[in-house]
Amino acid sequence: MNNRKTKIFVSAYACEPGLGSEIGVGWHWVLEMSKYFDLWVLTRESNRHSIEPWMAEHPEYADIRFLYYDWPKWARFWKKGLRGVRTYYNIWQLCTNRIVKRTMRENGIKVFHHLTYGNVLWKVSSYGQKQFFIWGPVGGLETIPAEYSQHYDRKGRWIERIRRMAVQLLPLNRGFETRCRHADLILCKTDITRNLIAEKHRRKAVLQTDVAVEHYTAQGGGRESGETTEFVSVGRLDAWRGFDLCIEGLARAAQSHPNIHLSIVGSGPDRARLEKLAEERGIGRKVTFAGKVSAEEYKRLMSRADVVLNASLKEGAVTVSFDSMAMGKPLICLDTTGYTRYFSQDYSVIIPIGKRDKVVEELAGSMARLCDPNTRKEMGKLAQAAGEQFTWAKRGEEIHRLFTEKIKV
């Protein structure tokens, strides 16, 4: 019997311990995959400072081989945070192709997994994609209807127009077609992405979310009746994340339930518009913009909240949605056809993305209903129980089964 682990080269541009969003996704996937596969992981040099101390404290993961690459600081002065990230990411893919090629050849690695960033329109190692190529989880083909984007500022409206145009021109996108053709397995975050893959390649595509439930000590249940009902919504303040829908929904719900409050956690370019909207709707004092916070502060805000809101119109703010399970909080979200398949109406409210006013009305109705502490408490218990099915360990088992079934080298 051959007990040798399959060797996999993982491209994980975003991969760092102790963080959320895409970076945390990359990190957790690598840890879970390492239980079943022999990994070489390529990530950014800027991630070394946190990865190596963590690895030193967790010798059980010592078999993971990390490789690092970045342009020198002086050559990437123009990139700061998410500014310039797409340009730098695509340059990084071109520059690291030689590392992928050399490492895979020298170590007899036949499987290449492009893990992060998971955007189908962004580049992948030209050498890696010609091996046994696992791509994803990926998204990036979800668009925002004009009915929603017409409420954004001028820049936001133009961004959404360009995205819609990019999807319309998808059949002419040679890079996308090449990656689909080379891929042996495509992990799609949403049905929307999977359905936009050409039919001749769609048989290789499966629905697979990239996030799972972490265990926190915080418990759910909310506060006693008579106190303010606390809602929380988390994510980068981009227009498409639907914070404006949350504010408008809160304004309507407050008409019948005045003792409600919303904390919006995160920073981003849409903050000024959102602050203005809250004032215009007469609920400026009922909405707190917490800005970007530490991991500990995030957990504290989540712990004291009664209900979690995720009105993202695309597959966004998914980490906080699964954290709502871990912390025993009811979730109100929009159905983006991806991660929402893991949620049930027993412990969450999943609103179809239809007419904008209808969505706002359903958000308001859901907020009003969850002002009832008994309803929140019961849904919170069910959410926490359900979360046990969707832990990172369970996700790792799922990844192992899928990869083992598909890898043929």
Side-chain angles (χ1 to χ4, degrees):
M1 183 176 175
N2 185 1
N3 292 320
R4 292 177 60 186
K5 294 181 178 179
T6 300
K7 298 177 180 180
I8 300 180
F9 188 101
V10 182
S11 178
Y13 176 94
C15 180
E16 194 174 349
L19 298 175
S21 299
E22 190 98 9
I23 296 174
V25 165
W27 181 252
H28 282 292
W29 269 66
V30 165
L31 294 188
E32 293 306 321
M33 286 175 64
S34 72
K35 298 175 183 178
Y36 308 101
F37 305 104
D38 203 2
L39 302 184
W40 282 255
V41 181
L42 175 62
T43 190
R44 293 192 59 194
E45 177 67 39
S46 61
N47 297 336
R48 186 196 291 264
H49 76 283
S50 57
I51 290 176
E52 293 197 343
W54 191 96
M55 294 292 287
E57 295 175 4
H58 298 83
E60 66 271 28
Y61 292 102
D63 288 343
I64 304 174
R65 302 160 181 85
F66 281 97
L67 300 91
Y68 303 95
Y69 177 84
D70 262 331
W71 272 12
K73 285 187 177 180
W74 63 264
R76 50 185 166 92
F77 66 90
W78 47 272
K79 184 194 177 301
K80 185 175 182 181
L82 291 178
R83 188 185 69 191
V85 65
R86 176 171 183 158
T87 300
Y88 185 72
Y89 167 88
N90 285 312
I91 292 171
W92 190 88
Q93 291 298 332
L94 292 171
C95 292
T96 56
N97 189 59
R98 57 184 173 80
I99 299 174
V100 176
K101 182 176 181 179
R102 182 181 68 244
T103 305
M104 292 188 73
R105 284 184 169 181
E106 289 179 353
N107 294 281
I109 306 168
K110 304 297 184 184
V111 180
F112 174 80
H113 180 198
H114 182 93
L115 179 58
T116 61
Y117 278 137
N119 188 315
V120 296
L121 300 177
W122 293 17
K123 288 187 181 296
V124 171
S125 163
S126 60
Y127 180 82
Q129 66 181 281
K130 293 174 184 175
Q131 311 313 303
F132 189 95
F133 174 31
I134 300 172
W135 189 21
V138 290
L141 299 182
E142 301 80 14
T143 58
I144 307 302
E147 180 185 359
Y148 290 84
S149 62
Q150 68 180 0
H151 294 269
Y152 303 167
D153 62 19
R154 180 180 297 178
K155 182 179 178 181
R157 293 195 300 272
W158 272 108
I159 288 173
E160 296 310 326
R161 285 182 191 137
I162 292 169
R163 283 177 176 157
R164 288 193 290 269
M165 187 179 300
V167 171
Q168 289 170 356
L169 295 175
L170 203 60
L172 303 178
N173 189 318
R174 293 182 61 184
F176 174 69
E177 163 60 25
T178 299
R179 291 187 285 275
C180 288
R181 174 164 44 86
H182 285 155
D184 294 281
L185 175 61
I186 308 172
L187 309 177
C188 299
K189 295 181 184 181
T190 66
D191 278 323
I192 294 168
T193 292
R194 184 172 60 181
N195 291 336
L196 283 171
I197 293 172
E199 190 172 351
K200 60 185 175 182
H201 303 306
R202 203 175 300 152
R203 60 178 175 77
K204 300 182 289 187
V206 299
L207 195 63
Q208 177 67 62
T209 195
D210 54 352
V211 183
V213 172
E214 288 193 60
H215 286 290
Y216 294 120
T217 56
Q219 299 295 313
R223 288 177 295 281
E224 296 300 319
S225 177
E227 296 187 15
T228 299
T229 303
E230 291 285 346
F231 296 86
V232 65
S233 190
V234 182
R236 178 174 162 80
L237 304 189
D238 294 310
W240 58 267
R241 292 185 185 269
F243 292 108
D244 56 340
L245 304 176
C246 294
I247 291 170
E248 292 192 33
L250 189 82
R252 296 189 191 186
Q255 294 174 10
S256 57
H257 295 77
N259 294 326
I260 58 178
H261 179 266
L262 169 64
S263 292
I264 295 179
V265 182
S267 61
D270 206 34
R271 177 164 177 165
R273 181 180 75 95
L274 296 172
E275 290 179 328
K276 182 180 178 182
L277 178 63
E279 292 296 334
E280 289 175 346
R281 295 294 185 270
I283 55 168
R285 294 184 178 181
K286 296 183 183 296
V287 181
T288 297
F289 290 86
K292 187 176 182 179
V293 301
S294 67
E296 287 306 311
E297 177 64 7
Y298 163 75
K299 292 176 184 178
R300 187 189 73 81
L301 289 168
M302 285 287 289
S303 181
R304 68 185 293 272
D306 295 301
V307 181
V308 175
L309 290 175
N310 178 14
S312 176
L313 291 153
K314 301 191 293 184
E315 185 87 346
V318 178
T319 301
V320 70
S321 299
F322 279 91
D323 285 349
S324 72
M325 280 186 177
M327 295 186 174
K329 312 291 182 181
L331 172 71
I332 302 174
C333 65
L334 304 191
D335 188 1
T336 56
T337 79
Y339 77 93
T340 48
R341 70 192 177 104
Y342 293 96
F343 287 79
S344 161
Q345 296 285 3
D346 292 336
Y347 50 84
S348 57
V349 180
I350 305 169
I351 299 172
I353 300 177
K355 292 293 184 180
R356 187 180 187 277
D357 192 66
K358 176 68 172 176
V359 167
V360 171
E361 192 61 40
E362 291 196 39
L363 282 168
S366 301
M367 292 183 201
R369 181 164 74 89
L370 288 173
C371 284
D372 176 52
N374 293 324
T375 301
R376 292 198 306 268
K377 185 174 182 179
E378 185 60 31
M379 290 178 71
K381 287 180 180 178
L382 292 173
Q384 205 157 39
E388 294 299 321
Q389 307 172 51
F390 309 121
T391 62
W392 275 111
K394 295 287 188 182
R395 180 74 72 245
E397 294 171 4
E398 187 177 356
I399 295 165
H400 176 231
R401 286 194 299 270
L402 179 61
F403 284 17
T404 300
E405 175 188 334
K406 298 293 184 179
I407 292 176
K408 308 293 181 185
V409 292

